[in-house]
Amino acid sequence: MSERSAGTRDMAEPPGGAAPAESADTATEVFVAHRNLLFTVAYEMLGSAADAEDVLQETWLRWAGVDPATVREQRAYLVRIVTRQALDRMRALGRRKESYVGPWLPEPLLTAPDVAEDVELADSISMAMLLVMETLAPVERAVFVLREVFDLGYEEIAEAVGRSPAAVRQLAYRARAHVAARRPRGTVSADQTRAALQAFQRAVETGELQSLLDVLAPDVVALSDGGGVRHALLRPVVGADKVARLLAGGWWRGARRSVEPVQINGGPGLLVRVDGEVDGVVAVRVENGYVTGAYHVRNPEKLSRVGRETAVVR
């Protein structure tokens, strides 16, 4: 059912007036109840927590002008608002990325350990998957996120992205095939992941090349993002030998560093401090017991979410 048939104004239009006073508390309660879900949708579409928060603010401004009593499916309604706002933001974000210095990596989130227990959610917010989704067109990415991660129906998605249900089915099929051809492969148990991260941490802390070579996959890829503010790689480094040498000293040579294991985007990672200050995070991709990806974020503007846990839900 469309918003108009549900007796509300079109969500694409800014509210023409405030919601009735008696419904204001209800509107706030509904929004707060779904806030973590809405943030997760926006973040998966944008790969940026800061932009996701801006989208939530815009979503709230539109929701605050609606009487919740006139909306049958409040969760779906809010998801549609946040999707439309995120699509608008994706276009502006795309222009910023064109002038970005060096590789662009998603903004890392410090997540609770239980996020890793939801395998599908953890995979969908992983650095590796977010980078794969960067290769999708904006509407394809929105359809993929809403269908594959949040299991919305085609008609609901159609209302959110402004396409017909038939067109959404085609977009979903193309996006699914595109992601399947590029997504990381291989499975790993929690014990394997923990063991690989511990070995990786010890090797990074000691700088022993052989220890690093023992835990890195032959085709491991390392990326780093300094945003033009901090020193970082200007292109990917591929191969166990090159990545081992980079990790052994290239990223933090000559500095007093400490490395703390944390959960980054639902997976294993390291929080790096230099001289006691947060210098960056390394999200680690583990497959079949070996590290296949190391995603090093040093851009200070992207490190605000590593000091406290961010709630992500489906």
Side-chain angles (χ1 to χ4, degrees):
M1 178 178 292
S2 70
E3 294 87 21
R4 291 190 183 277
S5 61
T8 65
R9 60 179 60 86
D10 188 334
M11 75 179 74
E13 300 170 1
E22 62 271 18
S23 69
D25 289 345
T26 300
T28 301
E29 290 172 3
V30 170
F31 187 83
V32 170
H34 292 95
R35 190 187 189 286
N36 292 340
L37 167 70
L38 300 176
F39 173 84
T40 307
V41 172
Y43 176 74
E44 292 207 17
M45 289 180 60
L46 299 167
S48 165
D51 286 283
E53 291 289 358
D54 287 345
V55 163
L56 257 62
Q57 179 64 25
E58 294 161 359
T59 299
W60 163 249
L61 292 175
R62 283 155 177 77
W63 174 248
V66 173
D67 181 357
T70 65
V71 181
R72 286 188 180 181
E73 298 292 340
Q74 295 170 342
R75 176 183 181 274
Y77 190 96
L78 283 166
V79 168
R80 290 196 292 270
I81 298 178
V82 85
T83 298
R84 292 187 181 183
Q85 297 306 311
L87 278 170
D88 288 343
R89 184 58 62 102
M90 285 173 77
R91 297 179 180 97
L93 191 58
R95 290 190 291 271
R96 294 210 306 266
K97 290 174 185 175
E98 290 176 0
S99 58
Y100 199 79
V101 178
W104 181 94
L105 289 176
E107 186 175 348
L109 306 178
L110 183 69
T111 52
D114 60 355
V115 172
E117 297 173 7
D118 185 339
V119 177
E120 291 185 2
L121 175 61
D123 181 63
S124 70
I125 63 169
S126 70
M127 286 286 190
M129 178 57 78
L130 290 173
L131 285 174
V132 170
M133 287 196 287
E134 281 291 310
T135 63
L136 294 170
V139 175
E140 285 181 333
R141 183 168 182 171
V143 169
F144 180 85
V145 167
L146 295 179
R147 181 63 182 171
E148 299 300 315
V149 182
F150 297 95
D151 199 30
L152 266 65
Y154 291 115
E155 291 189 0
E156 288 181 280
I157 300 172
E159 290 189 43
V161 301
R163 303 291 178 89
S164 70
V168 166
R169 284 180 181 274
Q170 289 296 318
L171 286 167
Y173 175 81
R174 289 205 305 268
R176 194 181 304 117
H178 182 95
V179 170
R182 293 164 176 79
R183 74 189 309 163
R185 302 182 185 277
T187 58
V188 62
S189 68
D191 288 341
Q192 283 181 314
T193 297
R194 188 161 42 250
L197 181 64
Q198 289 173 349
F200 183 77
Q201 179 183 350
R202 286 195 302 271
V204 169
E205 288 175 330
T206 62
E208 295 178 2
L209 280 176
Q210 188 56 53
S211 297
L212 280 165
L213 289 169
D214 289 342
V215 74
L216 298 178
D219 57 350
V220 61
V221 177
L223 295 167
S224 67
D225 176 344
V229 180
R230 295 273 185 86
H231 176 71
L233 304 171
L234 292 179
R235 59 186 61 84
V237 173
V238 182
D241 185 65
K242 291 180 180 179
V243 172
R245 293 181 184 281
L246 174 71
L247 292 172
W251 275 349
W252 307 295
R253 181 174 295 148
R256 291 183 300 168
R257 68 177 183 268
S258 63
V259 184
E260 174 189 351
V262 290
Q263 284 279 331
I264 295 294
N265 286 58
L270 300 174
L271 178 63
V272 181
R273 289 186 173 87
V274 172
D275 295 327
E277 300 293 329
V278 173
D279 183 77
V281 298
V282 182
V284 180
R285 179 78 184 184
V286 178
E287 299 177 65
N288 299 318
Y290 292 94
V291 173
T292 59
Y295 310 97
H296 184 206
V297 179
R298 297 193 69 208
N299 184 347
E301 294 183 358
K302 294 185 177 183
L303 297 176
S304 64
R305 290 280 178 156
V306 299
R308 66 187 189 282
E309 289 182 357
T310 296
V312 290
V313 299
R314 285 201 295 166

